[in-house]
Amino acid sequence: MADNPMLKFVGKGQAYPEKRAADDRADDFLEISRSFILDKAEEQASRCSQCGVPYCSTHCPLHNHIPDWLRLTAEGRLREAYELSNLTSTMPEICGRICPQDRLCEGNCVIEFSGHGAVTIGSVEKYITDTAWKEGWVEPLVAGKPTGQSIGVIGAGPAGLTTAEYLRAAGHEVHVYDRHDRAGGLLTYGIPGFKLEKDIVMRRVQRLKDGGIVFHENFEVGRDATLEALRDKHDVILIATGVYKPRDIRAPGVGAPGVVKALDYLTASNKAGFGDAVPEHEDGTLLATGKNVVVIGGGDTAMDCVRTAIRQGAKSVKCLYRRDRDNMPGSQREVANAEEEGVEFVWLTAPIAFEGTDHVTGVKVTKMRLGAPDASGRRAPEPDPGSEHTLEADLVIKALGYDPEELPKLFGADDLSVTRWGTLRVDHKTMMTSVDGVFAAGDIVRGASLVVWAIRDGRDVTEHMHRYLKAKAKVAGERVAA
Ligand code: SF4
């Protein structure tokens, strides 16, 4: 009987691609892990036990065919592995880099529970798609037979780009509108290069441009055109703007110079990485160099900020979080990376005031203790009386998450219905908003979430939009015939 290439998890240990040393990576914005080499990718893929019910796949928002492409990788059939992974995802090399696999596929891998360590799925996914790009297996986007119908996509983040790609492939004319000067949304300006190098994102965007998708950059709906004007221009609209309104802290002194928003800070850093002139770096307002930096928050954005500050040469970097390590929303893998790079985590601590007259000089904080679980199931923090003290700070970065902007007001569209959380209200059977022919997907519907969920929503909404367009074309055809 031929040797089974799989089920090698007993004899082959778990291995992730080697990380660069913390000292080395703190000097640049390049990704911190080297790629697998071929032998290692094959070896790690061969650890999969090919479960009959693959929990890795069921816990992947895209339901990627993970065991199948792991087997193909282990058998050295890399091109087929890539083709299979590409079937369910528009950007597998990006998911391989930035998905929190420890909470999704790898966190639910059965061999993790048997004590052998999960299959390193994300690193294999990254390897096979990077190889596909290198080998020229990634095919150009080819538009289907022209339908004569036109789509407007508002927002060039992962949900918008996914829908744009699928609808262009179906033969529609596709226009993407985005407020930034480069497409990609948070992939481009939110996530730092050490997690996702920017040429990886730009390569995807360029493929879509080469496939005939028209991008309107620096275009703000509400300023450059109303939603109504875009509806007149296109047969159907998708709103996939994401959520960009930063949550704020109510505390004395929060408006002091030197207390800044996470997204402004990360955008400035990413723009500098592209080689753009960044006035806020020239005047120092969004630069951590030589400063005592305090980042407030415990999510992935906070992790991105602390690690960016290290790379900018901060004097010290502290991360304040009101709960403890076990109750934080950010990835444990990112916390470990940040600690290796010299970030100090100050758990169970919350800001109560910002000190300084002309500029922030410190954050007055209180220690917290965890009480009973709240509505989210996590133990609610409450102040520990008498524990107040001050942490020195020249730059404070608020990374407390994002809420939706007021889209009806921003777009001049009062008939666009929103939920009490400000997200767009959609009919979940059709993903259409309260306005006929206007669909919505991604964070603007579900609230701030993962990139992989935005891709999934972009994939799902494509089906609904396609069905709507076909029905519209049929009605138009019947009118002409009559
Ligand atoms: Fe393989 Fe783990 Fe998925 Fe099972 S859960 S199929 S072992 S990757």
Side-chain angles (χ1 to χ4, degrees):
M1 203 169 81
D3 181 36
N4 182 351
M6 307 305 288
L7 292 150
K8 304 285 193 232
F9 61 90
V10 178
K12 306 270 183 208
Q14 182 196 50
Y16 285 94
E18 194 191 335
K19 280 198 273 186
R20 295 193 288 139
D23 284 356
D24 174 29
R25 64 194 202 226
D27 288 336
D28 62 48
F29 282 82
L30 300 174
E31 289 175 7
I32 67 164
S33 291
R34 303 182 203 283
S35 263
F36 273 146
I37 53 167
L38 174 63
D39 288 354
K40 209 68 189 165
E42 290 178 356
E43 174 202 283
Q44 289 298 305
S46 76
R47 297 180 67 246
C48 169
S49 70
Q50 300 284 280
C51 305
V53 180
Y55 289 118
C56 55
S57 184
T58 51
H59 284 85
C60 167
L62 295 171
H63 298 315
N64 283 337
H65 306 304
I66 296 167
D68 300 320
W69 50 252
L70 286 173
R71 182 177 45 80
L72 289 165
T73 303
E75 291 172 351
R77 296 157 65 185
L78 277 191
R79 184 167 188 160
E80 291 165 83
Y82 156 70
E83 285 167 359
L84 201 55
S85 91
N86 188 54
L87 272 188
T88 48
S89 177
T90 49
M91 41 190 93
E93 75 282 24
I94 292 177
C95 290
R97 285 170 163 82
I98 60 167
C99 270
Q101 287 98 3
D102 53 343
R103 306 204 304 256
L104 300 172
C105 53
E106 294 179 21
N108 289 282
C109 173
V110 293
I111 65 172
E112 172 76 16
F113 297 116
S114 69
H116 292 88
V119 178
T120 48
I121 299 166
S123 306
V124 175
E125 183 182 38
K126 170 180 159 180
Y127 175 78
I128 57 182
T129 317
D130 281 352
T131 305
W133 277 102
K134 208 159 53 195
E135 297 294 328
W137 303 335
V138 179
E139 291 174 354
L141 170 61
V142 178
K145 189 168 158 248
T147 61
Q149 290 177 303
S150 170
I151 325 293
V153 175
I154 305 171
L161 294 183
T162 295
T163 307
E165 172 168 346
Y166 287 140
L167 288 176
R168 180 68 186 144
H172 304 297
E173 186 183 313
V174 181
H175 291 252
V176 179
Y177 303 89
D178 195 89
R179 59 164 64 144
H180 291 291
D181 57 349
R182 290 180 180 90
L186 291 180
L187 301 175
T188 298
Y189 283 133
I191 299 172
F194 51 81
K195 279 167 62 180
L196 175 62
E197 286 175 16
K198 298 305 145 188
D199 54 349
I200 307 286
V201 184
M202 291 300 114
R203 182 171 67 179
R204 279 279 166 201
V205 172
Q206 191 57 47
R207 178 175 167 273
L208 301 186
K209 288 184 176 175
D210 293 344
I213 295 174
V214 183
F215 282 80
H216 303 262
E217 283 135 355
N218 291 312
F219 190 106
E220 275 192 40
V221 180
R223 183 193 68 187
D224 298 311
T226 60
L227 181 63
E228 202 47 42
L230 291 184
R231 286 182 73 209
D232 288 345
K233 189 171 165 194
H234 301 291
D235 290 286
V236 72
I237 297 284
L238 173 69
I239 301 177
T241 51
V243 290
Y244 275 85
K245 191 167 111 192
R247 292 195 191 127
D248 215 339
I249 304 171
R250 276 198 216 133
V254 71
V259 182
V260 305
K261 298 173 193 153
L263 195 56
D264 292 347
Y265 176 70
L266 294 172
T267 301
S269 174
N270 278 315
K271 278 185 178 288
F274 276 108
D276 296 352
V278 180
E280 298 85 357
H281 275 196
E282 280 153 29
D283 66 16
T285 50
L286 291 177
L287 197 61
T289 313
K291 294 180 182 169
N292 292 307
V293 178
V294 171
V295 176
I296 302 168
D300 289 334
T301 302
M303 299 307 106
D304 293 344
C305 290
V306 289
R307 299 180 65 203
T308 296
I310 291 281
R311 283 158 176 78
Q312 289 179 346
K315 195 163 151 198
S316 71
V317 183
K318 290 187 174 65
C319 182
L320 293 193
Y321 185 52
R322 63 198 177 123
R323 291 183 165 94
D324 61 6
R325 189 182 197 119
D326 292 339
N327 286 282
M328 69 179 294
S331 161
Q332 291 298 326
R333 204 180 284 174
E334 286 303 295
V335 177
N337 286 333
E339 283 180 326
E340 284 167 17
E341 290 164 9
V343 174
E344 183 190 337
F345 284 85
V346 189
W347 306 112
L348 289 167
T349 304
I352 49 176
F354 298 90
E355 299 179 348
T357 41
D358 300 332
H359 194 278
V360 70
T361 55
V363 185
K364 189 168 178 198
V365 300
T366 175
K367 293 300 287 178
M368 307 293 282
R369 57 191 181 198
L370 292 178
D374 62 13
S376 71
R378 289 184 299 162
R379 293 176 65 194
E382 54 194 33
D384 192 358
S387 63
E388 295 84 5
H389 59 284
T390 296
L391 300 174
E392 203 182 337
D394 319 297
L395 177 65
V396 178
I397 303 171
K398 298 175 288 182
L400 300 148
Y402 304 101
D403 286 321
E405 295 159 288
E406 280 184 66
L407 283 199
K409 194 166 156 207
L410 216 59
F411 285 7
D414 292 342
D415 46 352
L416 203 53
S417 177
V418 295
T419 66
R420 68 191 162 103
W421 298 279
T423 49
L424 285 184
R425 188 184 296 282
V426 296
D427 175 342
H428 287 282
K429 290 196 292 295
T430 62
M431 296 180 80
M432 190 150 64
T433 65
S434 53
V435 180
D436 184 50
V438 177
F439 293 77
D443 286 2
I444 194 58
V445 177
R446 66 167 66 240
S449 184
L450 301 173
V451 166
V452 66
W453 274 114
I455 298 171
R456 163 69 185 272
D457 292 345
R459 202 176 75 183
D460 288 350
V461 80
T462 303
E463 297 293 320
H464 296 297
M465 292 171 76
H466 197 54
R467 211 169 295 141
Y468 178 92
L469 286 161
K470 272 173 103 173
K472 192 171 176 179
K474 193 168 167 228
V475 170
E478 283 166 359
R479 273 207 202 109
V480 171

